[in-house]
Amino acid sequence: MNGLKEKYFLFQPQGVTISLLTIPPSCIDSSTGATPSEEMNGTGNLMDFLDEPFPDVSTYEDFHTIDWLREKSRDTDRHRKITTKSKESYWELIKSLLDAWSGWVVMLLIGMLTGTLAGVIDLAVDWMTDLKEGVCLSAFYYSHEQCCWTSNETTFDDRDKCPQWQKWAELMTGHSEGAGAYVLNYFLYVLWALLFSFLAVSLVRVFAPYACGSGIPEIKTILSGFIIRGYLGKWTLLIKTVTLVLAVSSGLSLGKEGPLVHVACCCGNLFCSLFSKYSKNEGKRREVLSAAAAAGVSVAFGAPIGGVLFSLEEVSYYFPLKTLWRSFFAALVAAFTLRAINPFGNSRLVLFYVEYHTPWYMAELVPFILLGVFGGLWGTLFIRGNIAWCRRRKTTLLGKYPVLEVIVITGITAVLAFPNPYTRRSTSELISELFNDCGALESSQLCDYVNNPNMSRPVDDIPDRPAGPGVYSALWQLALALIFKIVITIFTFGMKIPSGLFIPSMAVGAIAGRIVGIAVEQMAYHHHDWIIFKNWCRPGADCVTPGLYAMVGAAACLGGVTRMTVSLVVIMFELTGGLEYIVPLMAAAVTSKWVADAFGKEGIYESHIQLNGYPYLDVRDEFTHRTLATDVMRPRRSEPPLAVLTQDSTTVEDVETLIKDTDYNGFPVVVSRESERLIGFVQRRELTVAIKTARQKQDGVVSSSVVYFTEDNPQVAEACDPQPLKLRRILNLSPFTVTDHTPMETVVDIFRKLGLRQCLVTRSGRLLGIITKKDVLRHMAQMMNQDPESIMFN
C-alpha cells in the first residue's frame, strides 16, 4: 500500500453529486477502516451516534419545546426504512408487522394498568374514608357498606347499622350515644383526616414534588410539545397513586378524577420506554399520551366515549385520526378492566348511576337554564378566587410552608364538615344521594315526604307529595353545605397534594340543583293550577324529578369551571345513564359556557398554565392585533447581534465556545458574516453530539479544525492535520422562514398549526432575526396588557 493512493466514492445526501477524492493511505483510520473524509461527509459512523444517548446531551433540554416537524420527519424516515427492509426477508417482514402492532400493544397495556390502578384507588378510598368514623370487627379491611352487607344480622330498615360495624366511641367506651361519644367521634374524625393529609403532603414533598395538583394543566402543556422531565416518571406514578388515596380519604374538598388523568399518562410514558418507536420520538410519544388521557377519564367517570372526547376537546394539541382509534381502544380496555374489578359492588362502572322514570317538560328548561347561569357565575368566581389565592401563595410565606398549609386547610375542613351529615361523608357519596330519585325504598332524609295512605300506585310511579320535616331540615343542611363547598374549594385546589376539581365542582352544582329541584317540585304540588304547571303537572302525578335538577346543576358547574361542552354532556349521560336528558344537559352546559366566557375566556386549566408561565399556545385564542414579524423578532436594537455560524470559516473551538456561552436551541448558518445570507439551521443537540463523536471516533479533529456546512468537499491537506470537519448532513436546509413584513396573525397561526419551536426572519434571503415560541407568547401577553415576563420557560 506504500506509495499508492486509495480512491473513495463519496455520496452527498442532500444532492446528487458524486465526487472522486484522492486521499493518502496514511490518513486512513486503521481502527475503523474509514477515512476522515468518509466521516466528514456522513458516510462513516457519525450520524449513527445522533440517535443514541450521549453523556450530558439529551434530545431536548428540560423545559424546552420539541420540534414537531422534525419529529414527524424522523418518524417518516423510520417508517420508510422499515418498509424497504421488510421486502428483503421474512424476518424483516415480521419485524415490520411487530412495529405496526406495537401501538395497539401499548394501548392494551395502558388500559389494563390504568383500570387496575383506578379500581385499587376506589377500593382504598372507600375503606379509608369510612375508617375515619369506625371499623369493621369481622374484617378490618371492609368498608362500612361491605361490613353490613356481609352481616347476617342486618335488617332492611337499618341496613346501615350492624353489630359488626362499630364507631370509634362505641369501640373504646362501649357507648354509641351521648355527648361524650359525639365528642370522641368528632375528635378522631379530625385526627384521622390530619394524619392522612400529613402523610400525603410529606410523601409528595420528599419523594415526588411533581405528584401534586391535578396534573391536567401540565399534561396539556406536555401534549403541546413541552418537555418536563420527571413529571411522568415512575416515582411520580407510584407516589401520586398512594397520595391520591390519602388526600381523597382525608375529606378535603377535592376529587380523584383529574389526578387519574395524570396517573394514566404516567402509565403511558412508562410503556413508551419499552418501544424505541415511541421512546426515541417525542411526537409519537405524545400520541400515546393523548390516548392515555382518554383512558384516565374513562376510569375516572366510567365514561369511555366521554374520555375520548375529553382528550380531543380539552387536553390534546395534536390528535390525528389514528390516535382517535387508539384512544377509543385504550378507553375501552380501561373501562373493561375496571368493570372486572367492580370496585363499587353494583356491577356498574360508576357510583352515580341513576334511573329516572319521569320525562322532562319544556317548561323545565327555564330552571335548567338558570342553573346554567349559576354554573357560569360559580366557575368565574372559583377561577378568579383560586388564581388570586395561588398568586398569594407563591409570593408569601405560604409557599415556603406547604405542609403547614395542608394541615391548616385539612383541620378547618374536618372541623366544619363533621357536624353536617352532607359534608361529613365523601363527596362522591353526597353526589350519588343528590342524584337519586326518591323511590319507596329510599331512607334518605331528602326523601322524607308525607305519604298518602290511599296511594295505590306502583313503586316506580310515585306521585309528587308534600315535603315532610326531614326534607326541610335537609334543605337547610344543604344550603350550609353549598356555602362551605364554595368557599373551601377555592383554598383547597392547588395545594401540594393530588387534587382534582371535577367532583367538588359537581358537588356544588348538585347541591344547588337539588335545592332548586325540590323548590320546583313543591311549587308544582301546591300550585298545580298555575298556568306554567297546568299543562303538564296534574294533581296526583309524578311530574318533577329533583335528582334530574341535581344532575343538570352538576354539569353546569363543571362546565363553568372547565369550559367543556361536548365531552361534558357525553360524560354526564354516561356517568348517570340519563340518555333521555341530553337536551337539558346541553342547555345548561352551553348557558354555563356563555356566562363564564362573558367574564373571561380561560378555564381553570388554562388559568393555571398562565399562572405557572408554561409556553402553551392555545388553539382557541384569537390574535387580532396588527403587528408584524419585525416587531417581535430577536435581536432588538439594544441587544447583541444574533449568534450565527458561517458555512466554511468557523472552527471547532468557536462552535464549542458558542455552545458553552449560550443556551439557544440551535443556530442559523449563513454564507458569511458580511452577507448574512441564510443557508440553513443546525440544532444545538446535533451539533454537540457530532463534535463529541468526531473528537472520539475520528483522528485529526482538533480545536483548530474548520467546520464546513458546504456541499463541496473541503480540501484535505497531505499531512492530515488539522482535519476539517464536514457537518453538512446535520444541517437543516429548509428551516421555516417568514419575511419581516409578515403579519403576526399569520405567524401565530403558523406556530399553532405546525408546532414550530422557532422561525427565522429574512429579507431578500438575508437573515434578520429569529422568533421563538416564547417570543410569540410574550408578545401575545403584552398585547393583552399582561406581564410578558410571566412566560418563564423556553
Side-chain angles (χ1 to χ4, degrees):
M1 293 285 293
N2 290 337
L4 299 178
K5 293 184 178 180
E6 296 292 323
K7 295 182 179 178
Y8 295 88
F9 286 97
L10 302 178
F11 177 66
Q12 295 294 329
Q14 265 75 26
V16 294
T17 305
I18 297 179
S19 60
L20 186 64
L21 186 62
T22 304
I23 298 185
S26 59
C27 294
I28 300 176
D29 188 343
S30 59
S31 62
T32 63
T35 67
S37 297
E38 280 182 292
E39 296 190 349
M40 286 185 296
N41 285 272
T43 56
N45 297 326
L46 177 60
M47 288 306 296
D48 297 336
F49 289 89
L50 289 181
D51 291 328
E52 296 181 6
F54 205 94
D56 303 323
V57 180
S58 58
T59 305
Y60 296 103
E61 300 296 328
D62 200 11
F63 300 121
H64 281 64
T65 305
I66 71 169
D67 189 338
W68 283 95
L69 293 178
R70 177 173 177 269
E71 297 301 309
K72 185 173 179 61
S73 176
R74 288 179 60 194
D75 183 65
T76 303
D77 293 340
R78 183 196 63 83
H79 190 267
R80 188 183 297 115
K81 183 178 179 182
I82 290 175
T83 304
T84 303
K85 281 190 173 183
S86 65
K87 301 175 183 178
E88 297 176 358
S89 64
Y90 285 111
W91 173 241
E92 293 294 339
L93 178 62
I94 294 173
K95 286 172 64 177
S96 69
L97 293 175
L98 291 175
D99 179 81
W101 275 92
S102 61
W104 297 103
V105 173
V106 170
M107 295 301 117
L108 177 67
L109 295 173
I110 290 172
M112 293 175 65
L113 182 57
T114 303
T116 302
L117 289 177
V120 171
I121 289 172
D122 288 333
L123 292 171
V125 165
D126 196 22
W127 172 64
M128 293 181 68
T129 300
D130 290 340
L131 191 63
K132 292 186 299 183
E133 298 190 50
V135 67
C136 186
L137 300 181
S138 59
F140 75 93
Y141 49 84
Y142 277 174
S143 66
H144 187 178
E145 185 180 15
Q146 291 171 326
C147 187
C148 288
W149 277 114
T150 54
S151 172
N152 295 324
E153 304 175 47
T154 304
T155 63
F156 184 81
D157 292 334
D158 294 324
R159 52 188 180 274
D160 290 335
K161 299 179 181 178
C162 57
Q164 284 76 17
W165 177 264
Q166 289 191 0
K167 293 187 176 181
W168 291 112
E170 184 180 1
L171 182 65
M172 293 179 177
T173 64
H175 300 288
S176 58
E177 303 294 336
Y182 181 85
V183 171
L184 182 57
N185 285 328
Y186 199 157
F187 173 75
L188 289 173
Y189 178 91
V190 175
L191 191 64
W192 278 111
L194 292 173
L195 176 62
F196 291 159
S197 63
F198 175 74
L199 287 174
V201 69
S202 299
L203 288 172
V204 168
R205 186 170 176 80
V206 174
F207 295 104
Y210 281 152
C212 67
S214 78
I216 293 183
E218 287 77 11
I219 295 298
K220 284 171 68 77
T221 309
I222 289 172
L223 290 180
S224 73
F226 196 52
I227 301 287
I228 307 179
R229 300 206 181 280
Y231 197 82
L232 302 177
K234 301 179 185 66
W235 267 112
T236 304
L237 172 61
L238 176 62
I239 298 302
K240 185 113 185 181
T241 303
V242 174
T243 55
L244 179 57
V245 174
L246 291 167
V248 175
S249 302
S250 68
L252 286 166
S253 184
L254 48 83
K256 63 181 184 299
E257 285 66 26
L260 272 175
V261 175
H262 186 187
V263 167
C265 287
C266 288
C267 296
N269 189 63
L270 175 67
F271 291 120
C272 278
S273 62
L274 304 179
F275 299 87
S276 60
K277 174 181 179 180
Y278 299 107
S279 63
K280 293 184 178 181
N281 192 298
E282 293 291 342
K284 296 292 291 182
R285 186 195 298 266
R286 274 149 183 76
E287 293 181 20
V288 173
L289 297 180
S290 293
V297 176
S298 173
V299 295
F301 289 108
I305 306 298
V308 176
L309 292 176
F310 175 83
S311 180
L312 172 62
E313 179 184 1
E314 186 66 22
V315 178
S316 297
Y317 197 84
Y318 175 64
F319 204 83
L321 189 60
K322 181 170 59 176
T323 303
L324 177 68
W325 300 335
R326 290 180 176 174
S327 299
F328 182 81
F329 179 68
L332 171 66
V333 173
F336 177 80
T337 305
L338 184 65
R339 172 64 180 81
I341 296 174
N342 193 19
F344 302 113
N346 57 3
S347 299
R348 300 192 186 278
L349 288 174
V350 290
L351 185 63
F352 309 140
Y353 190 85
V354 292
E355 290 182 357
Y356 301 134
H357 306 285
T358 306
W360 64 276
Y361 299 91
M362 288 298 294
E364 290 183 286
L365 278 178
V366 175
F368 291 154
I369 290 174
L370 290 177
L371 285 173
V373 173
F374 171 79
L377 294 175
W378 146 248
T380 302
L381 170 67
F382 173 79
I383 292 172
R384 293 190 176 181
N386 181 251
I387 294 300
W389 176 251
C390 288
R391 282 204 179 97
R392 184 171 180 80
R393 178 190 293 132
K394 294 176 72 172
T395 57
T396 60
L397 289 177
L398 283 171
K400 297 181 180 179
Y401 303 102
V403 177
L404 179 61
E405 182 192 8
V406 171
I407 293 297
V408 170
I409 296 296
T410 304
I412 294 173
T413 302
V415 168
L416 295 178
F418 186 84
N420 191 333
Y422 292 107
T423 53
R424 183 190 312 171
R425 69 189 66 181
S426 71
T427 312
S428 297
E429 291 178 355
L430 170 62
I431 296 173
S432 180
E433 181 173 342
L434 294 172
F435 280 6
N436 277 337
D437 194 12
C438 284
L441 307 180
E442 291 294 333
S443 60
S444 170
Q445 199 176 16
L446 287 168
C447 297
D448 183 23
Y449 290 89
V450 178
N451 290 315
N452 183 0
N454 299 323
M455 184 185 70
S456 59
R457 290 178 173 272
V459 171
D460 288 343
D461 191 17
I462 298 177
D464 287 345
R465 295 158 290 167
V471 174
Y472 289 110
S473 175
L475 284 176
W476 281 108
Q477 292 172 339
L478 284 177
L480 293 174
L482 178 63
I483 297 172
F484 170 73
K485 287 286 185 184
I486 286 175
V487 175
I488 203 68
T489 307
I490 291 175
F491 298 97
T492 303
F493 186 71
M495 293 194 302
K496 298 301 181 184
I497 53 173
S499 55
L501 191 59
F502 284 23
I503 289 297
S505 300
M506 290 176 64
V508 169
I511 293 172
R514 187 77 184 204
I515 293 173
V516 172
I518 293 174
V520 173
E521 178 192 47
Q522 294 305 302
M523 286 176 60
Y525 176 81
H526 292 289
H527 305 283
H528 56 80
D529 54 340
W530 285 8
I531 190 169
I532 57 173
F533 301 118
K534 200 169 186 179
N535 294 329
W536 57 278
C537 199
R538 300 182 306 277
D542 182 20
C543 51
V544 177
T545 306
L548 172 61
Y549 287 75
M551 186 170 75
V552 172
C557 283
L558 185 55
V561 171
T562 63
R563 310 298 164 86
M564 296 190 300
T565 51
V566 179
S567 57
L568 171 65
V569 172
V570 174
I571 286 173
M572 288 304 299
F573 85 69
E574 283 190 278
L575 186 65
T576 59
L579 188 61
E580 184 181 349
Y581 306 100
I582 286 183
V583 173
L585 290 172
M586 292 175 67
V590 74
T591 304
S592 173
K593 180 172 174 57
W594 283 344
V595 173
D597 282 350
F599 296 95
K601 297 291 185 182
E602 296 84 12
I604 184 64
Y605 301 129
E606 290 79 14
S607 298
H608 272 268
I609 287 173
Q610 290 184 4
L611 178 69
N612 294 324
Y614 296 135
Y616 182 75
L617 198 56
D618 197 338
V619 295
R620 291 172 289 190
D621 288 341
E622 296 181 1
F623 187 87
T624 57
H625 305 283
R626 300 181 64 84
T627 52
L628 303 177
T630 187
D631 301 323
V632 183
M633 72 177 189
R634 298 294 179 96
R636 305 286 172 82
R637 291 182 179 179
S638 58
E639 295 176 347
L642 192 65
V644 298
L645 300 174
T646 57
Q647 66 175 357
D648 56 7
S649 61
T650 307
T651 64
V652 170
E653 183 179 13
D654 295 336
V655 175
E656 290 177 332
T657 302
L658 187 62
I659 292 173
K660 181 181 178 181
D661 294 342
T662 64
D663 58 354
Y664 304 134
N665 294 327
F667 306 95
V669 179
V670 296
V671 174
S672 66
R673 297 187 184 277
E674 292 75 23
S675 70
E676 291 286 341
R677 190 167 297 278
L678 182 66
I679 299 296
F681 192 84
V682 62
Q683 297 287 342
R684 176 194 188 91
R685 185 257 180 186
E686 293 187 353
L687 194 59
T688 304
V689 173
I691 292 177
K692 285 191 175 184
T693 304
R695 278 187 176 275
Q696 292 186 5
K697 303 293 182 180
Q698 182 177 328
D699 290 339
V701 174
V702 293
S703 297
S704 58
S705 297
V706 178
V707 178
Y708 284 85
F709 294 99
T710 57
E711 188 173 357
D712 298 330
N713 298 307
Q715 296 295 324
V716 181
E718 290 291 330
C720 301
D721 186 28
Q723 286 293 332
L725 178 60
K726 185 172 181 182
L727 300 180
R728 173 79 169 187
R729 191 167 178 180
I730 67 171
L731 180 64
N732 178 11
L733 292 173
S734 56
F736 209 94
T737 60
V738 296
T739 67
D740 54 334
H741 288 287
T742 303
M744 274 306 297
E745 183 179 359
T746 304
V747 175
V748 171
D749 212 31
I750 291 171
F751 269 86
R752 279 182 186 145
K753 294 181 178 178
L754 296 181
L756 300 181
R757 297 178 81 191
Q758 67 275 317
C759 177
L760 300 176
V761 182
T762 62
R763 179 191 294 169
S764 302
R766 183 174 176 268
L767 179 65
L768 295 181
I770 188 171
I771 299 176
T772 64
K773 188 176 182 179
K774 186 175 180 179
D775 295 328
V776 172
L777 287 163
R778 280 179 166 172
H779 181 68
M780 292 177 69
Q782 191 174 9
M783 291 293 101
M784 291 185 289
N785 296 321
Q786 298 174 357
D787 180 16
E789 296 304 318
S790 63
I791 311 299
M792 296 185 292
F793 304 107
N794 293 320

